[in-house]
Amino acid sequence: MYRYYLRQVVVGDGRRPARTPLARAQEEVGVPAGRWMGRGLAVLGLAAGDVVTEAQLRNLFGEGRHPHADRIEADQLAAGKKPAAARRTGALGRRVKVTGFDLVFRPQPTLTLLWALGDEETRAVNEAAHECPIAAVLAWIEDEAAILRFGAKGVYQVRPAHGLVAARFRHYEARSGMPLLHDHLLLSVKAQRPQKDKNGEGIWGSVHSEALYEHAVAASALYDEVVMAEACEALGLASEPRTVTAGRRPVMTSLVCRGS
């Protein structure tokens, strides 16, 4: 998965030229650098808004290791540790097959049209309205959806002690080349339990995928509600439910300015 991200997603769903540095490839296609999000960043020595590097993606999502595993391993080797022991210091618990989930956020079509056809101020407002619910959904997942299971057959279930870690990538176009504001949120499965080991160190586990999938529709609904509310409040718009398919719940669409 992380190879797919490095080749395409990090450069706006395009095709990253071979041997092209990540920062240069992103600049050439006109997408911003990825940014770190989540309450679990501090445990890994990261901060919200830090640029996501290629090495960090490889370590955390390619191998399920600490984002700074290369530096940690080098320090341990310099201190006289054997290679196998030095490599273990960069691990985040057991190795897992699934290292992350790709959550894609995009505003409703009416807001996308406002963003694509509006002036610079309208575009900026829509982008700000789009960012707020992404943070809200991630916080909701940390508090309500993310579960770490351990013990025989996962009998014990706990919330992540310090939250989660995610890398966010902004895109401005669909694969077809049409304007489409959306963000990819690469969510790491790695998180710490509330309990400590015998040495007082945090114990790393993995987010239960089934529990996360069960909350996918609710997370989507939360994003849709917040982004519409934020955009309407900032632009002086109103919204109304519109039935697209009979028997299915309506979708919210934006209307003309209030008072016009």
Side-chain angles (χ1 to χ4, degrees):
M1 179 182 66
Y2 94 96
R3 290 190 180 94
Y4 166 72
Y5 256 75
L6 287 178
R7 291 171 183 166
Q8 297 190 23
V9 175
V10 296
V11 290
D13 287 331
R15 187 72 180 179
R16 180 182 172 188
R19 295 181 293 277
T20 303
L22 178 57
R24 194 176 84 192
Q26 290 171 328
E27 183 179 355
E28 288 177 353
V29 298
V31 296
R35 300 288 175 176
W36 289 109
M37 295 181 65
R39 295 202 293 257
L41 291 171
V43 179
L44 296 175
L46 299 169
D50 282 354
V51 171
V52 181
T53 69
E54 185 167 347
Q56 290 170 342
L57 277 177
R58 182 191 68 245
N59 289 332
L60 184 58
F61 296 103
E63 303 177 4
R65 305 178 71 213
H66 194 291
H68 298 144
D70 297 337
R71 187 180 67 195
I72 294 171
E73 186 174 342
D75 290 343
Q76 292 295 309
L77 289 172
K81 291 280 188 178
K82 294 183 178 180
R87 184 169 178 80
R88 284 196 296 271
T89 60
L92 299 179
R94 296 178 179 178
R95 189 161 187 171
V96 293
K97 293 182 179 179
V98 178
T99 59
F101 302 94
D102 182 12
L103 284 64
V104 182
F105 297 85
R106 68 179 188 184
Q108 294 92 326
T110 50
L111 294 182
T112 298
L113 286 172
L114 280 173
W115 171 81
L117 302 177
D119 56 22
E120 289 300 318
E121 181 180 358
T122 301
R123 291 172 65 89
V125 168
N126 271 277
E127 290 179 20
H130 165 65
E131 290 184 10
C132 178
I134 295 176
V137 169
L138 179 56
W140 179 80
I141 290 174
E142 291 175 314
D143 293 334
E144 304 294 339
I147 292 175
L148 305 178
R149 301 197 311 169
F150 61 98
K153 297 182 180 180
V155 64
Y156 301 109
Q157 300 184 8
V158 295
R159 299 289 183 200
H162 306 290
L164 302 176
V165 172
R168 180 171 65 87
F169 297 91
R170 169 66 51 83
H171 291 181
Y172 299 109
E173 293 181 348
R175 291 183 182 276
S176 63
M178 296 295 289
L180 180 63
L181 174 67
H182 65 288
D183 278 47
H184 287 261
L185 193 72
L186 188 55
L187 182 66
S188 172
V189 302
K190 292 296 184 177
Q192 284 191 351
R193 303 181 203 164
Q195 302 84 359
K196 302 289 185 179
D197 64 15
K198 60 182 179 181
N199 298 317
E201 299 291 334
I203 301 174
W204 288 92
S206 298
V207 174
H208 184 40
S209 59
E210 290 185 10
L212 198 60
Y213 288 138
E214 288 172 355
H215 289 80
V217 174
S220 177
L222 175 60
Y223 168 81
D224 288 343
E225 180 179 345
V226 177
V227 70
M228 182 62 74
E230 290 286 330
C232 287
E233 179 67 25
L235 295 172
L237 304 177
S239 62
E240 70 172 9
R242 181 170 63 88
T243 300
V244 178
T245 303
R248 299 289 184 89
R249 64 178 183 177
V251 298
M252 299 302 295
T253 58
S254 56
L255 301 174
V256 296
C257 297
R258 299 190 188 101
S260 61

